[in-house]
């Protein structure tokens, strides 16, 4: 009966929970009061108070915080129903409750099942191919940016999610890739396809240059140094006018070509979209293989405990440098695509806010989770674009999503699936093989 009573004990809301709910709701009301609670009328120069909006914010926050308790209440009622049903039938409900308690989430079950994963990937790929045929060019451009940030998020996921190295200057490698293509095309006439590997290579070299001085740094010190590196790159791009043209940037950068054929503007957008789909699929494949490789296991060990990792014989220096260089390589590739899409590059496009956005994608989706990073990029890039009609509240919704994630889902939308070994199933397989 202890398994059935577990939910009964947890579903009760204690006085501590009520105080926490009221405190969080009060803080949300205070923070949103200047935006939602008052408005200045420019004609009469008076303040219009809208306290009802603030009240609804407090009520909504309280309801959202109460949802876990309501869910536990539902589980408790379900457990009591199962117990009564089996009581009248004369059977034991313990195995059923145990099976439900240890069930993984739907997404994790799909990820770990090869057949279901293949079906879902095929459906998603088919929808991705059909997508440009049912939307306009504006929607295609938005999706190209979302795919670009998926690449950036997967690149940073190597550094932060797998290796556990907090990098706040990741946008610097993004800028190196973009300016590599812009400068090589401006001075030497190198096209997109020749500049694509060079942009990734130069960004990887900068990743190594950043990694060497900070091999002994961890935590906040590492974050501060990487933040400074990102700002150094941006300041150099702004002030080295002889090379980068300063704040005026570099314009008239050609996009990718297809076998030398002349493409119309609509065909160029469509071609770049399918090109980005191909790059994202390739990035997912490579990052997934890296995650399951020996180097990926070394990154995970480094993330969990750096001292124990070194004690087990893993070369900490090479492991960190590999993480920085490989993550920077994908950022450089994304930078080349960014320059080709916008046909221009400016230093203002590579500010700290871009690094914060990419890091938010990784944290929101789930550090170390490839599927989580994809969902995080789609949410944080597509949601602000589709909320442009609510421009006054768009960033408020953006911040509210992150705050709610920190409260209710600190591990991210989709946590990484760890490998599990069931001893009973292994023994059964050995018996079947022996038979």
């Amino acid at each position: 009966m202890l398994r059935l009573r577990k939910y009964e004990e947890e579903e009760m809301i204690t006085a501590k929970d009520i105080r926490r709910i009221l405190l969080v709701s009060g803080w949300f009301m205070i923070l949103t009061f200047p935006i939602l609670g008052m408005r200045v009328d420019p004609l009469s120069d008076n303040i219009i108070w809208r306290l009802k909006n603030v009240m609804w914010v407090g009520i909504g926050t309280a309801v959202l915080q109460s949802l876990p308790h309501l869910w536990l209440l539902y589980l408790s009622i379900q457990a009591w129903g199962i117990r009564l049903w089996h009581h009248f039938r004369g059977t034991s409900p313990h195995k059923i409750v145990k099976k439900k308690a240890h069930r993984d989430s739907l997404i994790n079950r799909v990820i770990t099942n090869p057949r279901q994963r293949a079906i879902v990937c095929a459906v998603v790929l088919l929808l991705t191919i059909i997508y440009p045929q049912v939307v306009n060019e504006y929607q295609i451009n938005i999706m190209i940016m979302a795919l670009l940030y998926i690449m950036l998020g997967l690149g940073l996921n190597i550094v932060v999610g797998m290796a556990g190295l907090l990098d706040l200057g990741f946008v610097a490698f993004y800028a190196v890739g973009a300016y590599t293509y812009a400068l090589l095309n401006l001075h030497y006439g190198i096209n997109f396809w020749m500049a694509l590997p060079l942009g990734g290579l130069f960004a990887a070299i900068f990743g190594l240059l950043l990694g060497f001085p900070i091999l002994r740094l961890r935590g906040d010190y590492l974050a501060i140094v990487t933040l400074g590196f990102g700002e150094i790159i941006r300041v150099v791009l702004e002030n080295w006018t002889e090379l980068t043209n300063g704040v005026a940037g570099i314009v008239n950068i050609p996009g990718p070509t297809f076998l030398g054929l002349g493409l119309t503007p609509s065909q160029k957008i469509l071609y770049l979209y399918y090109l980005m789909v191909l790059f994202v699929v390739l990035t997912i494949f490579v990052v997934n293989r890296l995650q399951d490789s020996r180097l990926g296991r070394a990154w995970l060990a480094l993330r969990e405990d750096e001292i124990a990792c070194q004690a087990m014989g893993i070369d900490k220096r090479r492991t960190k440098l590999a993480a920085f260089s490989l993550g920077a390589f994908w950022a450089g590739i994304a930078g080349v695509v960014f320059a080709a899409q916008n046909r221009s590059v400016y230093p203002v496009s590579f500010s700290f806010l871009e690094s914060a956005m990419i890091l938010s994608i990784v944290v929101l989706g789930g550090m170390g989770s490839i599927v989580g990073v994809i969902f995080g990029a789609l949410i944080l890039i597509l949601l602000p674009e589709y909320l442009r009609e609510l421009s006054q509240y768009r960033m408020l919704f953006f911040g509210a999503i992150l705050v709610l994630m920190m409260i209710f889902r600190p591990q991210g939308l989709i946590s990484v699936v760890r490998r599990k070994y069931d001893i009973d199933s292994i023994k059964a397989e050995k018996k079947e093989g022996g038979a």
Side-chain angles (χ1 to χ4, degrees), residues 9-84:
E9 297 173 358
E10 293 181 352
E11 58 91 14
M12 297 298 293
I13 299 180
T14 63
K16 183 178 180 181
D17 294 329
I18 294 175
R19 287 196 299 269
R20 182 178 63 84
I21 290 173
L22 294 177
L23 181 62
V24 174
S25 301
W27 271 113
F28 264 95
M29 294 172 68
I30 294 172
L31 292 173
T32 57
F33 177 77
I35 301 175
L36 300 178
M38 54 187 299
R39 184 171 68 87
V40 178
D41 188 358
L43 298 177
S44 59
D45 204 14
N46 292 327
I47 297 177
I48 300 174
W49 302 100
R50 299 185 292 182
L51 301 180
K52 186 184 293 185
N53 296 340
V54 180
M55 181 188 68
W56 282 114
V57 168
I59 294 174
T61 307
V63 169
L64 288 174
Q65 293 181 88
S66 304
L67 287 179
H69 299 283
L70 296 176
W71 174 249
L72 290 174
L73 178 62
Y74 164 74
L75 293 177
S76 176
I77 295 173
Q78 185 184 38
W80 272 101
I82 294 173
R83 188 174 70 174
L84 290 175

Side-chain angles (χ1 to χ4, degrees), residues 107-299:
I107 296 178
N108 287 341
R109 292 202 303 271
V110 171
I111 293 173
T112 54
N113 189 313
R115 184 177 179 181
Q116 294 180 1
R117 184 173 64 241
I119 294 174
V120 171
C121 290
V123 172
V124 171
L125 187 60
L126 180 62
L127 293 176
T128 305
I129 295 173
I130 298 175
Y131 179 80
Q133 312 301 326
V134 297
V135 297
N136 54 28
E137 293 183 3
Y138 173 71
Q139 304 291 340
I140 297 175
N141 278 319
I142 295 176
M143 188 56 68
I144 290 174
M145 288 303 300
L147 294 172
L148 187 66
Y149 274 91
I150 289 176
M151 282 186 62
L152 290 169
L154 291 173
L156 184 60
N157 191 43
I158 295 175
V159 183
V160 178
M162 296 184 191
L165 304 172
L166 184 55
D167 188 355
L168 295 181
F170 192 71
V171 72
F173 310 123
Y174 186 34
V176 168
Y179 269 88
T180 296
Y181 177 36
L183 292 173
L184 289 177
N185 179 264
L186 179 65
H187 296 291
Y188 302 103
I190 293 179
N191 60 20
F192 172 83
W193 293 108
M194 294 179 64
L196 190 65
L198 293 176
L201 179 62
F202 279 112
I205 293 173
F206 272 81
L208 292 175
L209 294 177
L210 172 64
F212 272 111
I214 61 176
L215 288 175
R216 296 180 180 272
L217 299 180
R218 289 185 293 177
D220 299 337
Y221 302 101
L222 176 64
I224 292 172
V225 171
T226 54
L227 173 61
F229 179 78
E231 289 300 302
I232 288 172
I233 294 294
R234 184 183 60 82
V235 171
V236 168
L237 294 177
E238 287 182 351
N239 293 279
W240 197 353
T241 55
E242 293 82 3
L243 179 66
T244 64
N245 204 21
V247 294
I250 301 174
V251 296
N252 297 326
I253 302 173
T257 56
F258 180 69
L259 301 177
L261 300 176
L263 301 177
T264 64
S266 299
Q267 291 174 340
K268 289 181 180 179
I269 294 175
L270 198 62
Y271 175 56
L272 187 59
Y273 170 80
Y274 286 119
L275 200 62
M276 281 303 306
V277 172
L278 179 62
F279 287 160
V280 168
V281 171
L282 180 63
T283 305
I284 293 173
F285 174 77
V286 173
V287 173
N288 183 54
R289 297 298 294 173
L290 283 173
Q291 194 172 24
D292 293 334
S293 67
R294 182 171 182 171
L295 180 59
R297 298 298 176 190
W299 285 336

Side-chain angles (χ1 to χ4, degrees), residues 405-424:
M405 287 299 302
M406 287 187 289
I407 295 174
F408 299 110
R409 191 78 180 174
Q411 71 271 28
L413 287 173
I414 304 173
S415 56
V416 63
V417 180
R418 294 182 179 272
R419 292 184 179 271
K420 300 177 182 178
Y421 296 95
D422 191 352
I423 297 177
D424 295 333

Side-chain angles (χ1 to χ4, degrees), residues 370-389:
I370 296 175
V371 180
V373 170
I374 295 172
F375 275 96
L378 293 177
I379 291 173
L380 293 186
I381 301 303
L382 298 181
L383 189 62
E385 292 295 334
Y386 292 131
L387 292 177
R388 282 192 177 275
E389 296 181 357

